[in-house]
Amino acid sequence: MDNTGSNSSEKPKTWTKPKRRSSLAELNHSMKVPHKGSVFRKFLAFAGPGYLVAVGYMDPGNWATDIAGGARFGYSLLSVILISNIMAVLLQSLSSKLGIVTGHDLAQACRNHYKKPVAVGLWVLCELAIAACDLAEVIGSAIALKLLFGIPLLYGVMITALDVLLILLLQHKGFRAIEILVIILIATIGACFAVDLWLAKPNAGSVLAGFIPTADLITDQQKLYIAIAILGATVMPHNLYLHSSIVQTRQYENTDEGKREAIRFSVWDSTIALTLALFINAAILIVSAATFHKAGMTEVAEISDAYHMLSPLVGTAVASILFAVALLASGQNSTLTGTLAGQIVMEGFLDIKLPSWLRRLITRLIAIIPAVIVTIIAGEKGTEELLILSQVILSLQLPFAVIPLVKFTGDPKIMGIFVNPAWIKISAWLVSAVIVVLNLFLIYQTFAG
């Protein structure tokens, strides 16, 4: 996804300001890449970051919106999941490209390019998005613990705070250890839903038809609201910051050819990983449509209700157990990437470094405190509604991450010979426009009634 041209590397003028530290300094360029050997061997060396990014596209927040969409509207919102995934593939490819070419992650790029008040504003918005995402992980994991082991929701919320210990352990084992665990958890989620899909027996023709967009996605306000929530849950703003940093964990050659090769393999990696995320998100909605919508249970929007109703509808308790196991794996997986994203955003925007345990503790408290309050006051019903609201917050924050990314990667002063070609520029700005328009409509709809 880059222009080919001169083989001489020029330092982009915008990035002459020296960095005090690299993004994720302890992991930066820590993983070796073979300079010789087969293409497949090189690809394996670059494979991994895409799966960490894909985790954010299948976190518990997605579950709430996918279940609600499938139960209420059948298969028709599959087209939104597909479109969102295509947008994600494009945007994540630009994110990795920015990190590889400039050596700056998106947060560092924003700090260098914008004046301090703007950069601080973007940081605050991104922290809100991470908090919203972390809230979804906390609630999702707590619900899974309750469904599987009968642990009260309030205690489950508190238990999830302890996962900071797992993060610290993995970071000392190296970045590949984190990637391997993430891939194992993704495989677990995929296997669980493959079985649930088989048990639900969806209508293949209806599923295929659901991937074709229809006009009522815009004209039906209820459908539009869920569609925007799915968009917010699918295209994750903090993942753009994350991807631009973790691609720099590889020891690619700092030459035009080395960067070009790194970009190519990185795009392959994220595209394959996001295709798996598409399968899982689509599977959640398809299972919901094939069971709840088919049975006339169109108001099912809560994860716990879906768990309890799934087994009677498909005729076996295995379906619900697999559903809960996948939910727990999803929540724990999202915790890993949320930790890294929070560290990258704070270090990149503010140019300060906090111990990873302290940064994670702060992030967890921001998510756990509102979850505890809502659980005490409103019970499980309130936490489920908070889960969907968190995805709307993510959707509202998207333009503030997407627009700077598209702007930077389309600027020849920043990207040099790797500047986006015309067709990618047009596609990226079109995606940005769609996101902005949908979010403006969502704000209008919310305040108008």
Side-chain angles (χ1 to χ4, degrees), residues 109-123:
C110 289
R111 190 187 77 240
N112 281 356
H113 188 81
Y114 296 116
K115 292 182 179 179
K116 190 171 183 179
V118 175
V120 170
L122 290 173
W123 169 67

Side-chain angles (χ1 to χ4, degrees), residues 19 21-31 49 52 103-105 107-108 167 171 175 178-179 241-250 336-348 351-356 359:
K19 292 189 298 182
R21 62 177 62 91
S22 298
S23 181
L24 293 178
E26 67 276 16
L27 301 172
N28 193 269
H29 293 292
S30 62
M31 297 181 63
L52 269 71
H104 290 65
D105 61 54
Q108 292 172 330
I167 305 301
Q171 283 188 330
F175 199 68
I178 296 176
E179 292 176 345
Y241 296 95
L242 174 68
H243 203 184
S244 60
S245 174
I246 59 177
V247 290
Q248 298 179 54
T249 57
R250 270 51 181 179
L336 300 175
T337 56
T339 303
L340 293 172
Q343 182 178 341
I344 290 162
V345 166
M346 178 168 280
E347 292 180 7
D351 199 22
I352 61 173
K353 185 173 179 63
L354 292 177
S356 57
R359 178 65 187 83

Side-chain angles (χ1 to χ4, degrees), residues 378-407:
E380 192 168 315
K381 177 74 173 177
T383 57
E384 297 276 8
E385 292 175 351
L386 195 60
L387 195 59
I388 294 181
L389 177 62
S390 71
Q391 303 312 299
V392 177
I393 293 172
L394 285 172
S395 185
L396 292 174
Q397 205 277 327
L398 258 180
F400 299 99
V402 169
I403 291 175
L405 174 66
V406 175
K407 181 178 183 295

Side-chain angles (χ1 to χ4, degrees), residues 414-426:
I414 295 173
M415 301 298 290
I417 64 169
F418 294 96
V419 66
N420 292 336
W423 72 272
I424 291 182
K425 284 184 182 179
I426 294 170

